[in-house]
Amino acid sequence: MVAAVLGVPAVAAAAPTPSSYDAGIPPGMVEHGVVSSVLTGAPSAWNHRIEYWVSADRWREQTTDARTGELLGGRLHDAGGTTWLQYKPVNGDPRVLHFSGNDSVPGPGLPAPYNRVLAETGVMGGTAKYPIMVTLQPIGPQTIAGFAGTRYEQLSNGQPGQVAVGHGPIPDSHTIVVLQDGTYQPLMTDASAPNGRYGRIDQRETLVSRETTPTAQASVRLTKESFARTVKSWKAKVAKAKANKKKHKK
């Protein structure tokens, strides 16, 4: 997130563990939600709307421009990995990519099983040479999208702020998370740090709405057939965008 924009090697957000890829959704249920993703204080600032559908072992999301509704990208994930539409990249042509293995679960932060460990015991991040114990410090209550939660500051080795592995703490940086009371489901993640001439970089992911339902209407978006239709439509969009680009070059 912020680390990538700042260009530091790695910010101590806790290291990936199996629970960071566990959506925490009961079998037979689908979570449908909308997240506001806003980045300020950087040349690549954005205001995105991310809609997602997540089950115990499959998920999809699509990202649009919050102001115009234009499709920007999307991800589909199952046991075979993630297929990713990069439809409006900052540089280069649009692409449809695929990679195997785990991937971050959609939502306004890390999933509930991971957050529970982070809040109750902390998670060891960093590297063997530069270990960083990441914990959460409660700040106070906060309600988001109708869900009562608790606001926390993320601590790295007991101190507020982010850490660039091998480079030490990033001065005046902060990561704030809001987790739903009792379930540890993410409601908001806000990471910020100084960013030179751009002022202060701030990336905030905030839950707009969320419902968990067993209805077939939500589940149909996660079937193998639905994924295949979506990938086909993505590839058609990419082909059209490339054809238009080639046409304009003539």
Side-chain angles (χ1 to χ4, degrees):
M1 286 172 46
V2 172
V5 180
L6 290 174
V8 297
V11 170
T17 68
S19 62
S20 68
Y21 302 117
D22 177 2
I25 307 299
M29 304 294 285
V30 174
E31 179 177 300
H32 174 216
V34 175
V35 172
S36 167
S37 175
V38 178
L39 177 70
T40 58
S44 57
W46 67 63
N47 184 355
H48 293 167
R49 179 185 187 274
I50 302 172
E51 186 170 13
Y52 66 87
W53 294 261
V54 180
S55 69
D57 56 0
R58 301 169 67 87
W59 50 257
R60 73 154 62 214
E61 71 170 12
Q62 69 174 25
T63 301
T64 55
D65 185 298
R67 297 186 179 93
T68 67
E70 181 182 19
L71 176 67
L72 301 176
R75 293 186 298 160
L76 302 173
H77 181 82
D78 57 19
T82 299
T83 301
W84 175 35
L85 167 67
Q86 191 180 27
Y87 187 51
K88 288 288 182 178
V90 176
N91 297 301
D93 293 325
R95 297 179 294 175
V96 174
L97 308 170
H98 180 82
F99 58 88
S100 301
N102 291 318
D103 195 8
S104 56
V105 179
L110 290 163
Y114 183 86
N115 290 330
R116 181 180 296 275
V117 176
L118 188 61
E120 294 180 351
T121 65
V123 175
M124 184 62 70
T127 65
K129 186 176 181 180
Y130 301 104
I132 303 166
M133 173 55 75
V134 182
T135 55
L136 296 180
Q137 177 175 279
I139 298 174
Q142 183 170 352
T143 298
I144 294 178
F147 297 100
T150 298
R151 185 180 180 91
Y152 299 86
E153 173 138 26
Q154 182 174 289
L155 306 182
S156 300
N157 291 334
Q159 299 298 317
Q162 302 154 12
V163 176
V165 176
H167 293 256
I170 300 175
D172 195 26
S173 63
H174 297 276
T175 299
I176 304 296
V177 300
V178 180
L179 305 179
Q180 185 176 339
D181 293 339
T183 68
Y184 294 99
Q185 289 177 278
L187 301 178
M188 186 195 77
T189 301
D190 187 355
S192 64
N195 196 25
R197 65 188 178 92
Y198 297 106
R200 187 169 190 83
I201 187 171
D202 188 298
Q203 183 172 343
R204 178 176 296 190
E205 317 283 331
T206 308
L207 184 71
V208 175
S209 64
R210 188 189 71 210
E211 62 176 350
T212 302
T213 171
T215 62
Q217 183 178 359
S219 300
V220 72
R221 293 180 177 271
L222 298 177
T223 63
K224 183 178 179 180
E225 293 75 17
S226 175
F227 277 20
R229 288 194 300 269
T230 297
V231 171
K232 183 178 180 179
S233 70
W234 284 354
K235 289 181 176 179
K237 288 179 182 295
V238 168
K240 184 177 179 180
K242 288 183 177 180
N244 287 338
K245 182 177 179 180
K246 186 176 180 179
K247 180 179 179 181
H248 286 114
K249 281 185 176 181
K250 292 182 178 179

